[in-house]
Amino acid sequence: MSDSAEGGPSGDGDGTRAVRAGLPAPVKNEPTLPGPVFAAHFHLPGEVGGPYTYGRDENPTWTLLERAIGELEAPRQADVETLVFASGMAAVSSVLFSQLRAGDAVVLPSDGYQALPLVRAQLEAYGIEVRTAPTGQDAQLDVLDGAGLLWLETPSNPGLDVCDVRRLAEAAHARGALVAVDNTLATPLGQRPLDLDADFAVASGTKQLTGHGDVLLGYVVGRDAEAMAAVRRWRKIVGAIPGPMEAWLAHRSLATLQLRVDRQCATALTLAEALRARPEVTDLRYPGLPDDPSHKIASQQMRRYGCVVSFTLPTRARAERFLDALRLVDDATSFGGVRSTAERRGRWGGDAVPEGFIRFSVGAEDPEDLVADVLRALEESAR
């Protein structure tokens, strides 16, 4: 891996940072992480001033969470701004629709998140040209000329391809384009897009960042003040704000991020290695496998390889039997939670995957128990 997960001389390793990120200065007899602030408005006598005026603009609970996420995505970088949103798609939309105008062009991954085709249709309705290319082999370079924004998703969901963020960012900036990276699958502990010269790091905090399947959240982190002001303005206009309770739950969950990510990534590699020996499993993908097509570039820019493993079983029926036979794995559509989930991704119809394609999100169960459950389910599904 390119960067050590260990801390420097100040002791600010990933675990220390995750536990302490965004906490306010200690005050005697007050909690270390204050509870959620539920307020639609704030006392505001006289002239408008101060950070908190109306609940759609700012909230003290958001402020602490935004500070925490910023510390994880861009440690010790004071010029970085973070904004939290009601969902990952609210965050994605805020960047695309705040930075692009009619007549602009944007480059999206053709193998990205399932909702991107919906985004494409809306962008085109607004007179924005949308170009697409696969994530793998940096194919988006081929359609970059004249674009105003390059959107990267690496690793891609659900295919787990990886692109060279720094190479693509350099090429985009040379052409005058901004670069946004969807960092959902990697998390800030796996990859820091701003350190790879991206302009925005965008993610769904619904997934591994919060990790318990009980919060919808998104965020945008960026360094350019003017670009982030436009993102903030978009959030205010559309009201895509998180509730105080969701923001507080997310911040609370960050304390265990490093523990969860390390356990899940290690088990994901163990599971991928076990699946590699199965004859019925094809198209196995996990960037942490040394023979994975994405491993070389992933190892150069990622510090951890994620908790998602993808593979294909011979038929739709075999995949359905496999999922039904699992005992420790929930059949659910999200990923990144402490409880393992898996699904036959083709059931949604929005991804170009075989009928037997499985997206498997590794949780925090004991590795030997999870692997045994998967291997048993594979055996039972063959009957």
Side-chain angles (χ1 to χ4, degrees):
M1 298 185 189
S2 58
D3 296 315
S4 173
E6 300 299 322
S10 61
D12 57 347
D14 286 341
T16 303
R17 187 176 293 111
V19 167
R20 306 205 62 82
L23 296 182
V27 177
K28 185 177 181 179
N29 302 127
E30 293 190 6
T32 55
L33 178 62
V37 175
F38 298 99
H41 58 265
F42 301 82
H43 287 296
L44 197 64
E47 295 299 319
V48 175
Y52 305 112
T53 58
Y54 187 65
R56 191 180 67 249
D57 298 328
E58 290 288 353
N59 177 288
T61 310
W62 304 353
T63 299
L64 296 180
L65 175 60
E66 288 170 343
R67 187 186 306 163
I69 292 172
E71 290 172 9
L72 293 170
E73 282 280 2
R76 299 176 299 280
Q77 298 181 39
D79 59 341
V80 166
E81 182 177 3
T82 303
L83 296 169
V84 291
F85 290 80
S87 68
M89 281 309 300
V92 169
S93 300
S94 75
V95 173
L96 291 168
F97 291 106
S98 70
Q99 305 302 313
L100 296 167
R101 303 287 184 273
D104 289 346
V106 61
V107 177
L108 302 179
S110 59
D111 54 346
Y113 179 52
Q114 186 189 52
L116 286 182
L118 298 176
V119 174
R120 174 178 186 162
Q122 192 62 56
L123 288 167
E124 291 176 337
Y126 288 159
I128 296 165
E129 179 189 354
V130 179
R131 308 170 189 167
T132 62
T135 297
Q137 300 180 347
D138 300 341
Q140 288 169 285
L141 280 173
D142 296 336
V143 293
L144 189 53
D145 285 351
L149 177 66
L150 170 63
W151 188 274
L152 305 177
E153 185 178 300
T154 179
S156 61
N157 172 29
L160 303 183
D161 267 327
V162 172
C163 61
D164 187 333
V165 175
R166 195 182 298 278
R167 179 189 182 205
L168 285 157
E170 180 180 352
H173 291 153
R175 293 163 170 81
L178 294 170
V179 178
V181 177
D182 186 329
N183 207 33
T184 302
L185 203 147
T187 82
L189 299 195
Q191 180 173 265
R192 293 180 185 144
L194 269 61
D195 287 350
L196 299 169
D197 296 332
D199 300 289
F200 302 99
V202 187
S204 169
T206 308
K207 311 299 193 298
Q208 197 172 21
L209 188 84
T210 56
H212 290 78
D214 53 10
V215 173
L216 285 173
L217 192 88
Y219 68 82
V220 178
V221 183
R223 186 175 288 110
D224 184 277
E226 183 178 351
M228 288 302 293
V231 173
R232 179 183 291 274
R233 186 165 56 250
W234 180 265
R235 181 178 72 172
K236 179 174 181 175
I237 291 169
V238 301
I241 58 173
M245 190 65 191
E246 285 79 7
W248 184 85
L249 283 170
H251 198 169
R252 178 222 50 184
S253 299
L254 292 183
T256 61
L257 179 61
Q258 186 256 351
L259 299 173
R260 292 185 280 106
V261 167
D262 278 353
R263 174 62 169 259
Q264 290 170 264
C265 291
T267 305
L269 179 59
T270 299
L271 177 62
E273 290 171 338
L275 290 170
R276 188 164 52 181
R278 300 292 305 194
E280 68 270 54
V281 169
T282 59
D283 301 324
L284 173 67
R285 295 300 302 271
Y286 182 66
L289 286 171
D291 58 351
D292 186 272
S294 292
H295 180 73
K296 182 178 179 181
I297 186 59
S299 65
Q300 294 171 8
Q301 67 187 23
M302 297 184 72
R303 300 159 64 239
R304 296 169 176 87
Y305 299 111
C307 65
V308 176
V309 177
S310 69
F311 57 95
T312 301
L313 293 176
T315 64
R316 171 176 178 167
R318 178 72 185 272
E320 296 285 7
R321 292 197 301 271
F322 165 71
L323 293 169
D324 288 344
L326 291 167
R327 297 171 184 166
L328 299 180
V329 182
D330 296 330
D331 194 338
T333 192
S334 194
F335 63 85
V338 291
R339 288 173 289 278
S340 292
T341 61
E343 69 171 335
R344 191 183 65 80
R345 192 64 185 164
R347 65 181 175 171
W348 297 99
D351 297 305
V353 295
E355 287 288 348
F357 180 93
I358 301 292
R359 184 181 70 178
F360 196 110
S361 173
V362 174
E365 297 88 357
D366 287 302
E368 56 272 22
D369 292 339
L370 184 63
V371 171
D373 188 45
V374 170
L375 296 181
R376 180 197 50 76
L378 284 172
E379 292 291 343
E380 289 188 12
S381 67
R383 298 170 191 165

